[in-house]
Amino acid sequence: MPVTITVNGVKQSCEAPPEMPLLWALRDVLGLTGTKYGCGVGLCGACTVHVDGVAARACLMPLSAVGEKSVTTIEGLSPAGAHPVQQAWQLEDVAQCGYCQPGQIMTAAALLAKNPKPSDEEIAAALSGNLCRCGTYQRICAAVRRAAALRKGSKPA
Amino acid sequence: MTTLSKVSRREFLAGAALTGAALTLGCSFEAEADRVGATALAPNAFLAIDSDGRVLVTVNKTEMGQGARTGLPMLVAEELDADWSKVVVETASFDPSKYGFQGTGGSGSIRGAWEPLRRTGATARAMLVEAAARRWNVAAADCRTENGFVIHPSDAAKKLSYGELVADAAALPIPDATAVKLKDPKDFKLIGRRVARYDNPAIVTGKAVYGMDIRLPGMRFATMVHPPTFGGKAKQADDRDAKAVPGVEKVFVTDRGVAVVATNTWAAFEGAKKLRVAWDEGPHGELSSAAIRAMFAEKAKSPGDVARNDGDFDAAFATAAKKLEAEYEVPYLHHATLEPQNCTARVTADSCEIWAPTQFPNFVMDEARRITGLDAARIKIHITLLGGGFGRRIEADYAADAVEVAKRLDGVPVQVTWTREEDMRHGWYRPASLHIVKGGLSADGRLAALLHRLVAPSIRGQRQPDGGKGVDPGAMAGIATTQYDAPNFRAEYVRANTGVPIGFWRAVFDSQNGFVQESWMDELAQAAKADPVEFRRKLLGKSPRLKTVLEVAAKAADWGKPLPKGRARGVAAHFSFGAFCAQVAEVSVADDLPLVHRVVCAMDVGTVVNPSQVEAQIEGSIVFALSAALYGAITVEKGRVVQSNFNDYPLLRATEMPKVEIHLIKSAEAPSGAGEPALPPTAPAVCNALFALTGKRIRKLPIALD
Ligand code: FES
Ligand code: FES
């Protein structure tokens, strides 16, 4: 029984059982491999996507829980990389191996949508569920600050 | 920006349009240098310039976050005077006859490429200049190059792009690369500049292709359940419940465990949970961390093989005015790359193709040959991006799994992905070790005698049938290579192999030997009633570069100046991978837990090719070291690894990130390694700060204050 879900603005049929976590439906059924597997149990944040604009762990969310909600993955944030968070990530040269970065970027984008001017503490707290084994945290925080400034259209302080 | 890297050299040279489909395919890693057309200038396998002026650099090192796909092309582009925006990067498939040694590790990518890749760029530049000079009928020496053009300074009309010159240049004889002139470093335009990572655009849009992102038509997804004990084997598997999981297609026992093949990874994981396997536990079913610790302690009682012997330790220690002795220990550690182990393969009767996130494709080749029985010529290995390496992906066990499974699937491609739990429990762990240290001080507080005895398993020995004999020089890294000028110093190695698989980990033995040596230096300084920075400085007369970074770090960190109540500083310095590094950590304690607020790092890596990358490697090394110092421990019970996921093997989080301040020493020396040498000083700097704050000496990692 295929499930119907909306991913990156496209309503589509997904050939998968309703208990399959969104992560694997995205990666192995729909071919959207930008969302990553890191732990499978909600501990690392590599699988972070937006569900109705809110950051969610795709490894913990069965397709049945997605329902009518709208899913955005890293591929849908801005395919050209024009989202302020994606821009800031490049300007701050954040990525090392880059594997955690789609999850970091999705978490940061959801944070800024809710809180356009987060403090350093709020940035760290929002991203504390996203592990980076390569240790890019310092640049991640700098990039979120820069993205906040880019969103305002002003230069970062 | 597009990921041109995924375009084959043939397409590249044909100037093929880069469609979105081509970009996300992720499986055309072809480096078809043999198809280079007549219009391309390709002085060797690492560089091709086409008639559009695009500069294709083929990188023979794996990209695992260290920036090889940016730093190596920078070396070529510098000497070529290329327009950086026209540089296209591809990772070479495995072919040592064409690309030389393709193993990536030991902080060696830039070090090894420094000379040859600059010569590659300079060779092509010389040919382009010669081609232009002939066209203009002027002397080559009168022409100069800039940003992808050859220019004749006295005539503005004489300006030709590299693309326009490629055909002529390609017809010229290739000059001797060892004879071409390299730039004076003061003329560097790219080297020394902050160049953003080549793969950034692909990474931030989710298009970067890691091992787990390979997708092939008709491919299956599989997982492995490996024997729970080291050296165990699957006897048989009851697969009835596993096969009942929708999507599970096949289950079979291999030499390495039990494979579950399905139409998607989740079904494979679910199926694996439902297997009932009878295991042969093998020879280590009773192994435990306590037993290993006891064995180390027993062995530590006898002297080891001498790795370095300066002066006469025994005599000097016997007559020292003050004698100190201590025991230090560190646990096994896991790499925990964020991308779990995985590999994709397709095997037919006469061919084998592998897409491997690997640091050492030569080991993947060895495994593929062994398992398939095919010649190397029939085995093709593509190297993907790595979601972290840190030494874990030097091994090729994940590739062995993929080839074993693919061999049973008759030409159907299959991706084998380990669960995080399998990854955690089937690692090649950073060796645990026990250290005996002794020190003697003269009446006036000088270091008169020093002994460092390391009791640890040998990584090299693990690969030898008898476990190896004598000193393992790799294990003594940082001890035998100490920069301190101790007059009576003996370094000993006691081989203590166990059944726990061990391997290379970021900074490997320097990570632990540096911790012990630098903590012990602090103990000695304290016993001598000396300032820890001063005490070290006096012993560094023969290592001016380490002395300099120590001084720079101390000054930048306001060493000696008062701190708010509840805060303290600690210092450590270490030489490894050709680099000199000193760090000062600033800490406090809350509820018996250490908080690291600030780490000031001074480092001398010789010439800095790309400051953004060197600094990233330093930040990363410090975080890696903090995760280990605060939390890292792999323990063993009943022959099994206890830890399973990030709940019991935690990593540092964004909220725990100290402020890292980096000071790179200006240097004209050739580049050293940069990916590892900032790791060893972090744990001792933190522990020394904790001692300054609490009076408690940390002699065992991870840190426990209560
Ligand atoms: S994979 Fe979902 S949180 Fe780790
Ligand atoms: S960049 Fe490698 S895990 Fe974050």
Side-chain angles (χ1 to χ4, degrees):
Chain A
M1 251 296 278
V3 176
T4 302
I5 55 170
T6 303
V7 181
N8 299 331
V10 181
K11 195 164 180 165
Q12 52 198 300
S13 155
C14 176
E15 204 62 54
E19 355 26 296
M20 183 187 282
L22 176 59
L23 169 65
W24 298 111
L26 291 170
R27 290 185 53 81
D28 294 1
V29 184
L30 300 178
L32 292 169
T33 55
T35 306
K36 303 302 185 199
Y37 166 64
C39 70
V41 289
L43 293 168
C44 76
C47 64
T48 307
V49 296
H50 295 172
V51 177
D52 276 350
V54 177
R57 300 279 188 260
C59 71
L60 294 180
M61 180 173 271
L63 285 175
S64 58
V66 177
E68 296 288 296
K69 299 188 186 92
S70 161
V71 176
T72 306
T73 69
I74 186 73
E75 291 94 341
L77 190 65
S78 160
H83 188 282
V85 172
Q86 291 168 316
Q87 288 292 311
W89 244 248
Q90 299 187 65
L91 292 167
E92 295 290 339
D93 209 13
V94 172
Q96 287 184 35
C97 83
Y99 192 79
C100 72
Q101 302 301 344
Q104 307 275 7
I105 288 169
M106 295 309 280
T107 303
L111 165 72
L112 292 177
K114 204 171 63 189
N115 178 359
K117 264 186 73 180
S119 67
D120 286 0
E121 287 68 31
E122 287 169 330
I123 293 170
L127 286 151
S128 69
N130 287 76
L131 299 178
C132 175
R133 184 51 158 160
C134 299
T136 62
Y137 299 126
Q138 185 153 293
R139 292 188 187 194
I140 285 174
C141 288
V144 177
R145 286 194 295 267
R146 193 193 273 252
L150 289 175
R151 283 174 103 244
K152 281 204 322 241
S154 65
K155 285 260 165 350
Chain B
M1 219 356 251
T2 50
T3 47
L4 287 162
S5 54
K6 303 302 179 307
V7 178
S8 77
R9 180 173 290 222
R10 182 164 43 93
E11 286 171 291
F12 165 83
L13 291 163
L18 298 164
T19 65
L23 298 179
T24 47
L25 255 181
C27 47
S28 61
F29 288 93
E30 264 60 28
E32 300 180 47
D34 43 345
R35 302 208 202 184
V36 164
T39 54
L41 172 62
N44 62 32
F46 300 100
L47 173 63
I49 308 168
D50 77 359
S51 51
D52 291 337
R54 289 189 299 173
V55 176
L56 175 69
V57 179
T58 302
V59 170
N60 71 344
K61 296 290 162 194
T62 296
E63 177 62 70
M64 52 186 184
Q66 86 283 36
R69 281 167 54 89
T70 308
L72 268 49
M74 280 174 72
L75 301 179
V76 178
E78 176 68 68
E79 291 291 342
L80 181 59
D81 273 333
D83 174 352
W84 181 249
S85 71
K86 293 206 161 173
V87 172
V88 178
V89 182
E90 71 168 3
T91 299
S93 298
F94 181 62
D95 188 349
S97 69
K98 211 187 278 174
Y99 303 114
F101 178 60
Q102 289 178 262
T104 307
S107 291
S109 300
I110 290 284
R111 274 196 283 181
W114 174 241
E115 186 77 23
L117 284 190
R118 282 187 306 141
R119 292 204 172 275
T120 297
T123 304
R125 179 189 167 276
M127 295 169 81
L128 291 160
V129 167
E130 181 60 34
R134 287 189 188 189
R135 260 209 227 174
W136 296 327
N137 211 2
V138 298
D142 290 341
C143 301
R144 57 184 191 87
T145 50
E146 194 182 300
N147 216 27
F149 287 91
V150 183
I151 297 160
H152 193 273
S154 62
D155 181 354
K158 290 198 174 73
K159 180 172 179 180
L160 286 167
S161 73
Y162 287 177
E164 294 170 280
L165 289 164
V166 151
D168 286 7
L172 296 171
I174 299 172
D176 176 9
T178 58
V180 295
K181 203 169 136 5
L182 294 178
K183 280 186 185 174
D184 183 325
K186 75 169 169 25
D187 298 325
F188 285 161
K189 292 201 178 74
L190 211 48
I191 290 175
R193 232 178 68 195
R194 288 179 183 274
V195 176
R197 282 281 299 281
Y198 179 78
D199 292 307
N200 277 344
I203 288 171
V204 303
T205 51
K207 293 190 190 103
V209 177
Y210 300 86
M212 269 187 77
D213 301 333
I214 295 292
R215 294 291 176 265
L216 299 166
M219 79 181 246
R220 297 299 195 272
F221 298 85
T223 196
M224 289 293 300
V225 178
H226 298 102
T229 52
F230 306 126
K233 257 194 177 339
K235 286 195 287 200
Q236 63 192 53
D238 174 347
D239 61 11
R240 275 166 301 179
D241 293 351
K243 280 192 170 153
V245 172
V248 171
E249 294 180 337
K250 288 192 165 76
V251 173
F252 41 74
V253 173
T254 79
D255 266 2
R256 300 187 24 84
V258 186
V260 180
V261 182
T263 54
N264 63 81
T265 308
W266 180 69
F269 285 3
E270 290 298 299
K273 282 187 210 159
K274 298 207 160 67
L275 286 173
R276 280 181 299 270
V277 187
W279 302 106
D280 168 352
E281 296 211 334
H284 305 298
E286 290 305 316
L287 195 64
S288 71
S289 288
I292 292 169
R293 169 76 176 70
M295 184 267 277
F296 284 0
E298 192 50 41
K299 290 203 177 243
K301 289 178 185 159
S302 321
D305 293 306
V306 176
R308 179 164 161 185
N309 199 5
D310 301 351
D312 185 342
F313 166 78
D314 292 317
F317 189 65
T319 56
K322 208 175 208 176
K323 298 186 188 39
L324 287 80
E325 295 185 31
E327 216 176 86
Y328 280 79
E329 62 182 295
V330 300
Y332 289 103
L333 292 171
H334 186 46
H335 304 81
T337 55
L338 204 59
E339 178 191 25
Q341 303 316 307
N342 68 86
C343 187
T344 305
R346 172 169 52 209
V347 177
T348 66
D350 58 4
S351 75
C352 172
E353 195 164 5
I354 302 171
W355 293 260
T358 181
Q359 291 177 242
F360 269 56
N362 46 320
F363 290 161
V364 172
M365 176 59 85
D366 292 347
E367 287 297 83
R369 289 180 64 177
R370 181 181 63 78
I371 295 164
T372 63
L374 295 170
D375 296 343
R378 296 186 175 277
I379 300 170
K380 177 129 196 167
I381 302 170
H382 311 275
I383 299 151
T384 66
L385 293 177
L386 271 56
F390 316 118
R392 175 62 182 86
R393 289 182 157 112
I394 288 174
E395 311 298 335
D397 45 354
Y398 45 87
D401 277 344
V403 177
E404 286 276 12
V405 174
K407 197 175 87 172
R408 292 163 167 85
L409 294 182
D410 254 343
V412 173
V414 62
Q415 178 167 92
V416 177
T417 300
W418 298 10
T419 61
R420 170 59 57 193
E421 291 78 5
E422 281 290 313
D423 183 285
M424 190 73 75
R425 290 177 166 159
H426 300 278
W428 299 81
Y429 305 99
R430 197 286 307 264
S433 60
L434 185 70
H435 303 243
I436 305 292
V437 282
K438 298 184 186 186
L441 296 168
S442 65
D444 59 353
R446 279 178 304 108
L447 180 61
L450 182 65
L451 174 110
H452 192 150
R453 178 180 299 156
L454 167 69
V455 183
S458 162
I459 298 174
R460 189 186 299 181
Q462 177 181 251
R463 296 174 193 272
Q464 294 166 288
D466 66 349
K469 292 214 166 33
V471 173
D472 176 347
M476 295 305 286
I479 302 177
T481 51
T482 185
Q483 301 290 293
Y484 293 118
D485 188 16
N488 300 291
F489 170 54
R490 193 164 75 225
E492 296 177 9
Y493 175 62
V494 181
R495 193 170 290 251
N497 292 344
T498 78
V500 180
I502 51 175
F504 302 96
W505 188 88
R506 202 169 190 171
V508 216
F509 272 100
D510 278 290
S511 74
Q512 47 195 297
N513 296 341
F515 161 66
V516 175
Q517 185 172 88
E518 282 305 278
S519 301
W520 187 234
M521 271 297 147
D522 227 61
E523 293 207 45
L524 292 166
Q526 203 238 339
K529 298 194 170 47
D531 173 81
V533 171
E534 260 323 291
F535 188 78
R536 286 175 172 81
R537 269 196 62 221
K538 286 198 180 126
L539 292 168
L540 288 173
K542 290 190 179 154
S543 183
R545 293 174 80 183
L546 194 59
K547 192 167 153 187
T548 299
V549 293
L550 176 66
E551 289 166 351
V552 170
K555 184 158 187 281
D558 301 317
W559 186 262
K561 300 223 178 96
L563 275 170
K565 199 169 147 25
R567 290 244 185 147
R569 295 187 190 94
V571 68
H574 192 75
F575 164 75
S576 60
F577 305 92
F580 303 82
C581 184
Q583 292 173 17
V584 175
E586 206 175 296
V587 306
S588 69
V589 173
D591 302 328
D592 278 340
L593 292 173
L595 292 171
V596 184
H597 300 275
R598 180 183 180 212
V599 178
V600 176
C601 174
M603 191 140 138
D604 178 349
V605 297
T607 299
V608 177
V609 173
N610 184 343
S612 183
Q613 285 322 294
V614 171
E615 289 171 8
Q617 287 305 299
I618 293 173
E619 290 164 28
S621 296
I622 290 171
V623 171
F624 216 82
L626 287 174
S627 290
L630 298 174
Y631 307 117
I634 288 291
T635 52
V636 178
E637 289 306 331
K638 290 225 161 275
R640 296 154 163 84
V641 167
V642 173
Q643 289 69 28
S644 61
N645 207 316
F646 297 121
N647 56 326
D648 47 16
Y649 195 81
L651 305 179
L652 200 82
R653 292 173 181 278
T655 40
E656 300 164 298
M657 180 69 198
K659 184 164 190 287
V660 173
E661 299 167 27
I662 297 164
H663 302 268
L664 296 176
I665 306 298
K666 228 176 144 46
S667 166
E669 303 277 338
S672 71
E676 298 166 274
L679 189 146
T682 306
V686 167
C687 291
N688 293 341
L690 288 169
F691 174 79
L693 187 67
T694 66
K696 184 179 159 73
R697 184 56 71 180
I698 312 291
R699 297 201 184 95
K700 183 178 173 196
L701 294 180
I703 297 165
L705 284 176
D706 47 348

